[in-house]
Amino acid sequence: KAGVTQTPRYLIKTRGQQVTLSCSPISGHRSVSWYQQTPGQGLQFLFEYFSETQRNKGNFPGRFSGRQFSNSRSEMNVSTLELGDSALYLCASSLGQGVRGYTFGSGTRLTVV
Amino acid sequence: DAKTTQPTSMDCAEGRAANLPCNHSTISGNEYVYWYRQIHSQGPQYIIHGLKNNETNEMASLIITEDRKSSTLILPHATLRDTAVYYCIVRVPDNQGGKLIFGQGTELSVKP
């Protein structure tokens, strides 16, 4: 079956702009989580959505937001981009119930110039 | 979610078993131990998870001590493709609000 699909794979934006990243989970998965990975901070949890509701949130400023649609696809948005937002953004999906592991996508590489 | 401690890096000879330790001394009774790995620039890959019994799958074995304060991931016959950063994570199940929080992990280098 198809894995977790993230689009686009690469993105270059200018400071002050906003960006929207997309994540399509594995069919049947109802939970989508987002992570930011940078060389200095490692993998940091942004937020998790389950059945269109935000279930968990990490320690990121309000410029980072997300949503989940009824088909479980998710988007995350970053407004007023800063140079420090340059990172690999990873999305992971799971059934959302129980203890099964998460499946990660290949990520979107965002560069802010 | 409980915090984990792992060595920063380890080496292993190709074909030998790689044993990656993890300490999680503050683990709670309902928290599971998960292992993921990340090969450079790819998304993390799920390896295995367990609660208190030892677990084995096609990728690895997970040995959890009786007091559950530590665990070891075993790759029985390491190959060069197993070179990656390995993350040990402790969390409660999804329906209890468990987040997947990554630490710094162990960078495993498998050498010929």
Side-chain angles (χ1 to χ4, degrees):
Chain A
K1 57 183 178 182
V4 178
T5 303
Q6 291 190 245
T7 56
R9 287 297 310 276
Y10 301 92
L11 206 48
I12 299 176
K13 289 286 189 179
T14 305
R15 268 184 305 174
Q17 286 187 312
Q18 69 143 16
V19 68
T20 299
L21 311 181
S22 179
C23 173
S24 293
I26 289 173
S27 178
H29 283 192
R30 295 166 62 192
S31 167
V32 173
S33 298
W34 288 90
Y35 291 81
Q36 180 196 67
Q37 186 170 28
T38 59
Q41 299 297 319
L43 272 157
Q44 292 187 283
F45 173 77
L46 280 156
F47 30 66
E48 181 208 4
Y49 286 87
F50 177 72
S51 292
E52 302 179 66
T53 300
Q54 189 178 85
R55 185 161 69 172
N56 269 310
K57 190 176 188 306
N59 296 320
F60 277 80
R63 300 186 297 108
F64 292 81
S65 63
R67 59 178 175 169
Q68 187 180 33
F69 302 96
S70 58
N71 61 358
S72 293
R73 190 178 71 84
S74 177
E75 290 180 346
M76 69 162 278
N77 183 276
V78 187
S79 62
T80 320
L81 283 166
E82 301 176 359
L83 295 179
D85 297 332
S86 294
L88 179 67
Y89 289 88
L90 290 157
C91 159
S93 79
S94 78
L95 291 170
Q97 300 284 355
V99 298
R100 293 287 297 277
Y102 284 72
T103 302
F104 282 79
S106 298
T108 293
R109 173 76 62 183
L110 171 66
T111 302
V112 182
V113 298
Chain B
D1 298 315
K3 185 177 168 58
T4 63
T5 305
Q6 300 177 251
T8 304
S9 63
M10 291 180 63
D11 290 340
C12 178
E14 188 179 20
R16 304 298 294 268
N19 295 282
L20 291 88
C22 178
N23 286 321
H24 30 80
S25 58
T26 61
I27 192 169
S28 300
N30 64 341
E31 288 182 312
Y32 285 71
V33 180
Y34 288 79
W35 284 83
Y36 284 77
R37 72 180 182 184
Q38 186 175 28
I39 297 169
H40 184 62
S41 295
Q42 297 180 21
Q45 177 189 23
Y46 166 81
I47 301 173
I48 199 167
H49 75 274
L51 182 61
K52 51 186 171 183
N53 297 321
N54 297 338
E55 302 287 345
T56 295
N57 63 20
E58 65 279 3
M59 288 182 69
S61 294
L62 174 60
I63 308 297
I64 302 175
T65 59
E66 195 168 339
D67 63 7
R68 302 209 321 123
K69 293 186 176 182
S70 66
S71 61
T72 301
L73 177 75
I74 301 172
L75 307 177
H77 306 287
T79 71
L80 299 179
R81 289 186 294 180
D82 291 322
T83 292
V85 178
Y86 286 77
Y87 297 96
C88 169
I89 301 162
V90 171
R91 66 184 284 263
V92 297
D94 291 352
N95 58 0
Q96 296 178 33
K99 304 187 289 288
L100 207 58
I101 304 298
F102 289 82
Q104 295 305 307
T106 295
E107 188 164 3
L108 175 69
S109 296
V110 180
K111 300 181 185 299

